Amino acid sequence: MRTFRPEVGSGRWPGRISVPAGFPSPAEEYLEKRLDLNEHLVARPEATYFVRVSGDSMIGAGIHHGDLLVVDRSVDPRTGNVIIALVDGEFTVKQLRRTPLGLELAPENPEYTAIPLTDDTDFLVWGVVLHVVHKV
Amino acid sequence: MPKSYALIDCNNFYASCERAFRPEMAERPVVVLPNNDGCVIARSGEAKALGIAMGTPYFKCRRMLERNGVAVFSSNYALYGDMSARVMRILSRFCPEVEVYSIDEAFYDLTGVPGGATTYARRLRATVLAWTGIPVSVGIARTKTLAKLANRFAKEQARSRGVFDLDASPAPDRVFGWTDIGDVWGIGPRHAKRLRAMGVDNALKFRDLKRDWGQKKRG
């Protein structure tokens, strides 16, 4: 898993299209600002990290090999969240789930098995996955 | 109301930045080399404990690093700059007037914060750690110079758990006595040498001597 970071404080459309004198373009005010993915996907830039996925254990959740995950470390993890966890010193992306036997890190691919979280598991939540950027 | 300044300082900043994305190295000693891998420019606490000095040429310590399982990183200034901006932005959430002092240090005026300076600093420290993975130390005192001194104590005395308020300390003189004269902010190596020759080897002796000594110098 490779980690990418968004630029802090980036994301203003620098250009402004000038209109010759005369009749002002009715579209002018719409040109000042473009859609900015940072605004839509990054709520807290100082706690947000972009993480590249490797592997296919989360395919059922729409997370594919090579996708970019938007991970927020300021969010408290809850059951049902897809999280980046550290298990036995290795990063993994899984869903945090509650079962009758306790918490587990569940894959979204029948070929993988869930990792039960017991007192003996060397486990740490690194961050909560909020979005997936997938190339179609 | 007496002032309450805080100095927030990231612990072993470059090494901590590298570790933030390699949490499996939490316990492992880490050193950082510049881009051309010349000599050691940053060390984690464990690497310091191994006796690796700042500025040791890599070719001289390479074997020793391998033998001790030390993780070696080439510096990544884009990463350190990004992480620094994150830490400073988090700090400015807690207090709008952050005085950024260096890439990994900032001063803060915590005078009159709700709940008291220590509690406030603990919350701030926990937030920076959770959001970035970078451990920071916070020293609090009534002047910036003393905040620096308190910060060193916070960093090196495990029982302070990263935050130390000198003005809330029951025995500030012990902290002054513990502080080496060369570690007092504003006292350079030459000054420190001169003071040591006079038997003034810690901040406590310096404080008690100061007025007299200053007058003599002027007179």
Side-chain angles (χ1 to χ4, degrees):
Chain A
M1 200 178 76
R2 286 200 296 153
T3 314
F4 295 76
R5 295 155 299 279
E7 278 176 47
V8 175
S10 70
R12 293 262 337 252
W13 171 244
R16 190 174 181 167
I17 296 173
S18 70
V19 178
F23 184 70
S25 164
E28 188 183 22
E29 59 187 282
Y30 297 94
L31 287 175
E32 286 189 18
K33 207 171 163 210
R34 292 200 129 186
L35 271 181
D36 180 358
L37 279 179
N38 278 307
E39 270 176 35
H40 288 265
L41 303 181
V42 180
R44 279 204 175 130
E46 57 270 60
T48 301
Y49 301 82
F50 292 171
V51 172
R52 184 78 70 185
V53 178
S54 64
D56 56 2
S57 69
M58 290 299 282
I59 267 181
I63 298 173
H64 300 77
H65 181 79
D67 285 357
L68 203 59
L69 302 179
V70 180
V71 181
D72 192 331
R73 295 190 66 177
S74 71
V75 175
D76 283 330
R78 291 159 178 248
T79 51
N81 283 155
V82 173
I83 59 167
I84 303 282
L86 194 77
V87 180
D88 293 328
E90 279 193 39
F91 276 119
T92 183
V93 51
K94 295 284 178 292
Q95 192 187 38
L96 185 62
R97 243 182 241 169
R98 191 180 297 280
T99 71
L101 297 171
L103 288 173
E104 64 175 23
L105 293 176
E108 285 278 3
N109 182 336
E111 286 172 34
Y112 291 78
T113 49
I115 305 163
L117 297 177
T118 64
D119 289 343
D120 301 330
T121 319
D122 180 11
F123 160 78
L124 183 107
V125 178
W126 193 85
V128 174
V129 178
L130 296 186
H131 303 277
V132 191
V133 182
H134 172 68
K135 188 175 189 309
V136 283
Chain B
M1 189 174 198
K3 282 282 187 188
S4 224
Y5 287 106
L7 174 67
I8 297 110
D9 187 11
C10 300
N11 300 354
N12 315 314
F13 184 58
Y14 293 177
S16 296
C17 287
E18 298 291 352
R19 249 182 194 169
F21 300 97
R22 310 289 292 272
E24 76 276 12
M25 291 188 177
E27 321 270 291
R28 219 173 127 186
V30 169
V31 298
V32 180
L33 306 172
N35 295 322
N36 59 5
D37 291 354
C39 43
V40 174
I41 56 166
R43 304 156 297 159
S44 72
E46 301 78 10
K48 286 177 187 170
L50 283 173
I52 302 160
M54 197 70 158
T56 310
Y58 182 44
F59 74 89
K60 276 194 182 166
C61 59
R62 188 182 196 148
R63 282 272 183 76
M64 183 267 198
L65 296 180
E66 279 170 11
R67 225 176 22 246
N68 288 287
V70 179
V72 179
F73 289 95
S74 262
S75 57
N76 178 349
Y77 291 107
L79 170 68
Y80 311 151
D82 178 293
M83 295 306 276
S84 171
R86 286 168 186 271
V87 172
M88 297 308 168
R89 267 183 77 144
I90 296 169
L91 297 185
S92 61
R93 278 176 180 266
F94 280 81
C95 167
E97 277 167 51
V98 180
E99 186 191 329
V100 178
Y101 185 65
S102 74
I103 189 168
D104 59 354
E105 280 175 289
F107 282 107
Y108 241 40
D109 187 348
L110 290 184
T111 313
V113 291
T118 309
T119 313
Y120 202 81
R122 288 218 181 275
R123 217 167 59 228
L124 180 155
R125 184 179 189 277
T127 306
V128 174
L129 186 63
W131 294 16
T132 67
I134 306 242
V136 299
S137 300
V138 188
I140 305 162
R142 60 189 178 278
T143 71
K144 290 180 183 174
T145 305
L146 292 177
K148 272 244 179 203
L149 192 148
N151 185 284
R152 181 172 282 274
F153 194 81
K155 191 164 289 154
E156 294 185 15
Q157 298 285 322
R159 69 195 135 107
S160 68
R161 290 176 296 124
V163 177
F164 180 70
D165 184 345
L166 187 63
D167 291 330
S169 165
D173 281 7
R174 296 227 316 254
V175 181
F176 287 121
W178 169 88
T179 305
D180 185 85
I181 190 66
D183 291 334
V184 176
W185 199 24
I187 294 185
R190 284 184 59 178
H191 227 75
K193 202 175 160 190
R194 209 166 124 224
L195 284 161
R196 262 193 204 105
M198 294 163 57
V200 180
D201 56 357
N202 64 39
L204 183 68
K205 291 182 191 162
F206 180 66
R207 185 198 65 187
D208 293 342
L209 152 117
K210 213 166 141 194
R211 180 167 299 165
D212 209 83
W213 185 61
Q215 276 165 354
K216 240 185 266 168
K217 260 183 84 181
R218 256 181 270 128

